[in-house]
Amino acid sequence: MCGIVGYIGHRDAYPIIIKGLKRLEYRGYDSAGITLFNAASVVVKTKGKVADLEQIVTPQAKSGKTLGLGHTRWATHGIPSDLNSHPHLSNSGKIAIVHNGIIENYASIKKILTDNGYHFKSDTDTEVLVNLIEYIKTSQKATIGQAVQIALTQVVGAYAIAVVDTDRPGEVVVAKLGSPLAVGIGKDEYFIASDASPFIEYTNRTIYLDDNEMAVISRKKGFKMYSITSDKVLTPKVQEIQLSLETIEKSGFDYFMLKEIHEQPSAITDTFRGRLHVDTQNINISGIEQNKAVFENAQRITIVACGTSWHAGLVAEYLFEDAARIPVEVEYASEFRYRNPVINKGDVVIAISQSGETADTLAAIKLAKEKGAFVFGICNVVGSSIARASDAGAYTHAGPEIGVASTKAFTTQLTVIIMMGLRLGQLKGTIDKHDFDRVAKQLETLPKLIEGVLTCDKQIEKIAREYKDASNFLYLGRGYNFPAALEGALKLKEISYIHAEGYPAAEMKHGPIALIDENMPVVVIATNKGHYEKIVSNVQEIKSRNANIISIVTKGDESVKILSDHVIEIPEVTEALVPILASIPLQLLSYHIAIMRGCNVDQPRNLAKSVTVE
Ligand code: M6R
């Protein structure tokens, strides 16, 4: 996690870095800092958000500096505090660093440095790295670029770093392993950032560093790229990125989360545009078309993901087994990578990730590839590490998701999954034409249906007012609605800090039913497909224990309605599509409850959008 920003050029660095840090705050927001540079350097840092940093940077410090680095932090080593904030300085005060990642062997390096007279002010691994660089620079009489390179061959872990040295005031050194790093190329100016959003108004020409790559960016010599491990000079690949300013701003909404909830109709349209051809009964996802034989011959599919993306994986399990008759397992990436999973050559592993940077998912991919699997990535962020590490894949095209809570990322992942399920069924000959046609047609109408569901916002706000002070919530669903229940519970707990559990409705009687009383609101997704009668019985069981029931039902439902305290209707669609529609009211419910409780829904405590630590 953490976001880094840097600038070297002819403009004032301060406003560029501050604005950039604000755009990267989704990556972490417990402290922030900046170093600005001309002949002399200044470092200002503080616990808190970028807005707090702005309050303490003096006009003097800001003015006339055309080189700078900034950082917004999500704490790994050391609590959020002024001292632990980045940038970190070397003991001489000459070298400053900003770092996103973790140096795993920092303790042993710290010991060596301490034995050589170095002292440390913070508890961070990053302060160890900057002093290792200084130690190498002075003991080996190296340039800052050489010292960074040698130091990085000695560390174990993950990093995206930017380093400046007052001995070379016209240079920034950057390097990457495991954490993302983009460099924007302008005219005689360079922008450094964890993603391209901080510099899109200045340039769309971007270089994404790959693992084990570093670059020395200098006013005199421009951008020079090297391999960290072999010293080789590399030729950078400049990409033209397509990101507009509008898409990363709030466009009149109070929060990114609300904006992103309302963007779902257009995001889903973007997901299936050019891929779903209802008239010709054709689904064209190039990553599948180019690897048809791999999918046709796969004995099984393993899905690896975390959090919300893992919930999308559960929907995929139900659908792929049903439509394509391929055995599917869904694994938390963090568990998969640390056990010794049976993965054979020819197995397909699907990695699902909005950010494409989640460290556990990335490590799971690496393990799967070592074992000979074919890896298919479903990612939102174009050019992300997971997208690049996969053998093939499909982008969700949801556009930037900035609110930490996943909304449109989830429903667009489901859209890709539904298209994949249909296509795999077609390839395996396990789905009949009629079913294919029905689901494909409904999928095409989803954006319109979601627009309709979004109009229940006011009704949901009222429900939220009634339950905003609850301490616990239970979310129940069966079949495809079970992952939707899990996702609803995750949404509530992460942004409102109310404890919430998702359960398969029938599991309730094996334990959780003991929790039910008049103080436990229960959200039930009880649409009319699948095991409708069974879920009606479950709702009856809850009612007879006096819980308040908020149900999501199919338009026109009678049986669940009479048992419920609040009813939210969604249009009738086939089972596999219900999680998409049901997610909309669940997202809005969490949003309103969290707002009423005074929570920052875009930046919930302790969380970050992109989890690049293990
Ligand atoms: O970027 P990813 O999809 O790999 O992220 C995985 C989880 O961290 C993420 O889905 C998280 O659970 C959501 N932000 C929750 O809303």
Side-chain angles (χ1 to χ4, degrees), residues 306-309 352-356 358 404-406 490-491 494 611:
C306 303
T308 292
S309 299
I352 308 176
S353 172
Q354 185 287 130
S355 62
T358 300
V404 163
S406 250
L490 176 62
K491 261 340 45 117
E494 70 178 325
V611 185

Side-chain angles (χ1 to χ4, degrees), residues 303 307-317 352 410 413-414 417 483:
I303 297 177
T308 292
S309 299
W310 185 81
H311 298 156
L314 289 181
V315 173
E317 177 181 23
I352 308 176
F410 179 61
Q413 285 168 348
L414 295 185
I417 283 163

Side-chain angles (χ1 to χ4, degrees), residues 444-566:
E444 201 177 35
T445 64
L446 269 191
K448 267 264 153 296
L449 299 182
I450 293 174
E451 277 170 18
V453 177
L454 282 166
T455 61
C456 68
D457 188 42
K458 282 278 162 269
Q459 182 203 355
I460 293 173
E461 196 176 344
K462 261 196 189 157
I463 301 174
R465 200 162 298 287
E466 213 165 303
Y467 296 100
K468 68 177 181 3
D469 297 320
S471 311
N472 300 286
F473 261 77
L474 206 55
Y475 284 70
L476 303 174
R478 295 181 79 122
Y480 285 95
N481 291 340
F482 163 51
L486 290 177
E487 176 58 11
L490 176 62
K491 261 340 45 117
L492 185 70
K493 71 182 118 182
E494 70 178 325
I495 60 169
S496 73
Y497 318 140
I498 295 176
H499 170 242
E501 296 280 349
Y503 257 96
E507 261 304 293
M508 201 183 49
K509 56 187 172 292
H510 299 288
I513 200 163
L515 295 168
I516 292 183
D517 61 14
E518 64 283 4
N519 298 317
M520 172 72 87
V522 181
V523 178
V524 192
I525 309 161
T527 46
N528 68 358
K529 296 276 162 34
H531 314 280
Y532 180 66
E533 291 76 25
K534 302 275 177 212
I535 198 139
V536 174
S537 312
N538 297 144
V539 178
Q540 253 150 359
E541 290 153 17
I542 305 163
K543 192 72 215 161
S544 38
R545 279 146 189 100
N546 293 328
N548 285 299
I549 299 174
I550 303 161
S551 60
I552 297 181
V553 299
T554 311
K555 232 173 218 144
D557 175 280
E558 290 302 335
S559 312
V560 178
K561 201 171 186 174
I562 46 168
L563 297 168
S564 306
D565 298 273
H566 308 273

Side-chain angles (χ1 to χ4, degrees), residues 29 49 74 404 493-498 597 599-608:
Y29 34 79
K49 302 203 171 190
W74 185 85
V404 163
K493 71 182 118 182
E494 70 178 325
I495 60 169
S496 73
Y497 318 140
I498 295 176
R597 290 166 71 96
C599 303
N600 180 343
V601 297
D602 284 341
Q603 296 178 345
R605 69 183 180 207
N606 304 338
L607 287 173

Side-chain angles (χ1 to χ4, degrees), residues 268-289:
I268 288 176
T269 307
D270 289 343
T271 309
F272 62 61
R273 177 171 296 121
R275 291 167 163 168
L276 174 68
H277 305 280
V278 173
D279 41 351
T280 53
Q281 289 226 336
N282 182 16
I283 283 171
N284 191 336
I285 296 176
S286 56
I288 295 190
E289 296 314 304

